[in-house]
Amino acid sequence: MPTAPRAAARQPLTRARVLEAAVRVADRGGVEAITMRKVAQELGVEAMSLYHHVPNKDAILDGVVDVVFAAIELPDADRGDWQEALRTRAFSARAVLSRHNWALGLMDSRRNPGPATLRHHDAVLGVLRRAGFTLPMAAHAVSLIDSYISGYVLQEKSLPVADPGDVEAVAGDILDALPADEFPYLAEMITDHALRPGYDHTAEFGYGLDLILDALEARRG
């Protein structure tokens, strides 16, 4: 019975398959794990085979960025509510980047954006311009929203909790070792907020995003 790599090697090798393999390599080991050798191993082929589809590692890095952008839902410029269009796009971007957080340091560093990357940025700008934002305000809005999304994903990645169910255990441990009389406001935050039934730290993303969108709406004119 053939091994998985040999079975995979029988499939025609394409640029798309090379980039998908590179994404899987990065998901496991970070962007620094992407090498021609490791991507070839992921596909069960020799490294030289990749050069028929990508000229070098830089082309792979450009390509995986485009793969990530292609996975983010495009905002609809024809949608009447610009805030809802960008809110949907922001939640999609957060979900995609949470799965591929290695891409955060790569997305703005590449100098050869692919078609999905260009299409994505154009769609975001289109929503803002058609909503009446001036060109400078559209630039401010893109920078602010994208900085918020990237920063939140990075912060979420660093948290010692993976889901709302972990909060009680982590917050409880902190509270047990916390001198409440020395840190009263922190103790209050943990006791009366983080440990209350129904608290979900992941909901903070939507709250902060709404503040940003509301502030931009106030300056849209």
Side-chain angles (χ1 to χ4, degrees), residues 84-107:
E84 187 56 33
L86 292 190
R87 183 181 290 107
T88 299
R89 176 257 181 181
F91 273 93
S92 176
R94 176 200 178 190
V96 170
L97 292 174
S98 293
R99 294 195 301 270
H100 310 297
N101 51 55
W102 51 266
L104 286 171
L106 197 62
M107 294 173 78

Side-chain angles (χ1 to χ4, degrees), residues 57-140:
K57 178 181 173 179
D58 275 340
I60 291 183
L61 295 179
D62 290 336
V64 294
V65 167
D66 216 43
V67 169
V68 171
F69 269 111
I72 300 173
E73 184 175 344
L74 285 176
D76 186 359
D78 295 324
R79 202 167 185 166
D81 187 342
W82 72 269
Q83 289 180 299
E84 187 56 33
L86 292 190
R87 183 181 290 107
T88 299
R89 176 257 181 181
F91 273 93
S92 176
R94 176 200 178 190
V96 170
L97 292 174
S98 293
R99 294 195 301 270
H100 310 297
N101 51 55
W102 51 266
L104 286 171
L106 197 62
M107 294 173 78
D108 295 325
S109 68
R110 309 310 298 168
R111 300 177 66 176
N112 297 295
T117 303
L118 296 173
R119 190 179 304 113
H120 185 93
H121 290 315
D122 190 73
V124 173
L125 288 169
V127 168
L128 292 164
R129 293 291 282 139
R130 292 179 70 169
F133 283 87
T134 64
L135 195 55
M137 274 303 301
H140 293 325

Side-chain angles (χ1 to χ4, degrees), residues 3 16 18 49 53 58 71 74 87 98 100-101 132 163 166 169 174 197 204:
T3 62
V18 171
S49 302
H53 306 280
D58 275 340
L74 285 176
R87 183 181 290 107
S98 293
H100 310 297
N101 51 55
D163 56 60
D166 297 331
I174 294 173
E204 297 295 342

